[in-house]
Amino acid sequence: MSIELIEIADSVRDRGDINGAIELYQQAVKQWTKAINENPGETESHMYLAVSYSGLGACYCERKDYDKAEPDDIDKTEHFFGVAQGMLERLFVDTQNYEVLLHLIVTLQNQAILALEQSDIARCEQNIEALDKWVKQLKSFEGIVNKPVLAEAVQNKIRADIARKQGRHEVAIDFIERAIELANRAKAHHLGRSEANLWLELLCYLAEIHTELKQFSQGLNVLKTAIHYLEFFTDSPILLNMTKISQLAVMTQYHFLLRKTGASVSELDDIAERAANLLDKTPEIHYDQMSKLRMRYNQEFDDNL
């Protein structure tokens, strides 16, 4: 049976059509449930049923921030993530399948992030501690390089989130610098969508922490690394397509820090133009992260465009 329905649901969700994605994930649940009934011993069917439930959890988690959110979206988020986690844990114990473990880690990381959004630090830390065990097992698979490194980078990012939320910014910086080092290692090994975006997002995150601390020059220096890297790949449409949202976030933050550090008008205009070009290439994306980024973009560039 094909996983095409899940892939379409993922794509629809990425475009911001959360309700449309929910319908597709629900169809996928029915599809894989039927497959399990027909062949109960098929590992793939159990795994993709769990992935479908995890997709539903992610959708309700994202929808809770929208105007059209429903009162029970949080409950549905926790329910579907919980169902997916239970299925994947049992399946991994039975099969020791690498892909199952990878999906389990992603589901648990989403749960940790949800707990943090709810300011439930204790539950988030419990999730992270549980995740450490699974990430360690992920590293034990021979021939698998990038996925464990990326998973560990995300772990450090979540720990940085916890420290930042607690006002321990220097600790957050330590964690995020570790995450950047790991993401850079993964990017050097294989420059794919996940590697490139995570690295750019982490650099932007570190610059934001420096900005909170009024360390504008340090934040600017962090983002110069990203800017120089992107300039090197100016003629690469593949990289642009893979990272346009992350690039836009970098450009917006970089422009802000240029202003704070007294950059020239020509420097500001150059970044403003590059950001405008990126924004033109992302009109079809409407999900919450992009909406917030557009708002920030408008606030930053109103006087420049």
Side-chain angles (χ1 to χ4, degrees), residues 187 191 196-197 199-201 203 223-252 254 271 274 278:
K187 177 175 65 67
L191 182 57
N197 278 299
W199 182 70
L200 289 171
E201 289 164 10
L203 287 174
L223 289 186
K224 280 181 179 177
T225 304
I227 295 295
H228 293 159
Y229 180 81
L230 293 171
E231 286 174 347
F232 184 77
F233 286 97
T234 300
D235 298 326
S236 173
I238 295 176
L239 182 70
L240 171 63
N241 188 56
M242 289 194 305
T243 63
K244 53 191 174 184
I245 297 175
S246 299
Q247 285 193 53
L248 182 58
V250 167
M251 296 297 174
T252 303
Y254 190 63
I271 296 300
R274 290 168 67 177
L278 285 166

Side-chain angles (χ1 to χ4, degrees), residues 78-112:
E78 294 176 345
H79 168 72
F80 287 122
F81 277 154
V83 170
Q85 177 187 343
M87 292 181 66
L88 291 166
E89 284 180 342
R90 290 190 296 272
L91 192 59
F92 180 70
V93 169
D94 291 341
T95 65
Q96 296 296 298
N97 181 284
Y98 159 75
E99 285 191 65
V100 171
L101 180 56
L102 192 58
H103 287 300
L104 172 59
I105 288 171
V106 171
T107 298
L108 287 169
Q109 286 176 337
N110 283 334
Q111 287 180 292

Side-chain angles (χ1 to χ4, degrees), residues 85 89 108-109 111-113 115-116 120-134 155 158-159 162:
Q85 177 187 343
E89 284 180 342
L108 287 169
Q109 286 176 337
Q111 287 180 292
I113 293 168
L116 191 62
D120 191 342
I121 303 295
R123 183 157 62 95
C124 182
E125 289 178 332
Q126 287 173 357
N127 286 330
I128 290 296
E129 288 176 8
L131 272 162
D132 285 340
K133 176 186 72 173
W134 296 118
Q155 293 289 91
I158 297 172
R159 286 191 164 96
I162 293 172

Side-chain angles (χ1 to χ4, degrees), residues 272-302:
E273 183 178 353
R274 290 168 67 177
N277 289 335
L278 285 166
L279 191 68
D280 287 342
K281 293 178 172 65
T282 58
E284 78 284 3
I285 301 172
H286 305 291
Y287 65 96
D288 188 55
Q289 178 189 355
M290 190 62 201
S291 298
K292 291 177 180 177
L293 182 54
R294 284 176 183 276
M295 185 181 300
R296 187 175 175 193
Y297 170 92
N298 290 333
Q299 291 171 344
E300 178 60 30
F301 291 103
D302 269 349

Side-chain angles (χ1 to χ4, degrees), residues 173-278:
I173 287 173
D174 287 342
F175 278 123
I176 211 67
E177 285 179 343
R178 287 183 219 168
I180 289 170
E181 181 182 349
L182 289 162
N184 193 45
R185 190 196 312 168
K187 177 175 65 67
H189 184 266
H190 172 70
L191 182 57
R193 179 187 299 272
S194 299
E195 292 83 1
N197 278 299
L198 181 60
W199 182 70
L200 289 171
E201 289 164 10
L202 291 172
L203 287 174
C204 205
Y205 185 93
L206 178 56
E208 288 173 1
I209 296 177
H210 283 303
T211 299
E212 287 179 16
L213 297 174
K214 309 298 183 186
Q215 298 170 347
F216 302 125
S217 294
Q218 290 96 317
L220 190 68
N221 287 334
V222 168
L223 289 186
K224 280 181 179 177
T225 304
I227 295 295
H228 293 159
Y229 180 81
L230 293 171
E231 286 174 347
F232 184 77
F233 286 97
T234 300
D235 298 326
S236 173
I238 295 176
L239 182 70
L240 171 63
N241 188 56
M242 289 194 305
T243 63
K244 53 191 174 184
I245 297 175
S246 299
Q247 285 193 53
L248 182 58
V250 167
M251 296 297 174
T252 303
Q253 181 71 8
Y254 190 63
H255 188 275
F256 171 82
L257 291 168
L258 282 173
R259 286 197 299 107
K260 287 293 185 179
T261 52
S264 67
V265 173
S266 62
E267 285 181 286
L268 291 167
D269 286 346
D270 175 61
I271 296 300
E273 183 178 353
R274 290 168 67 177
N277 289 335
L278 285 166

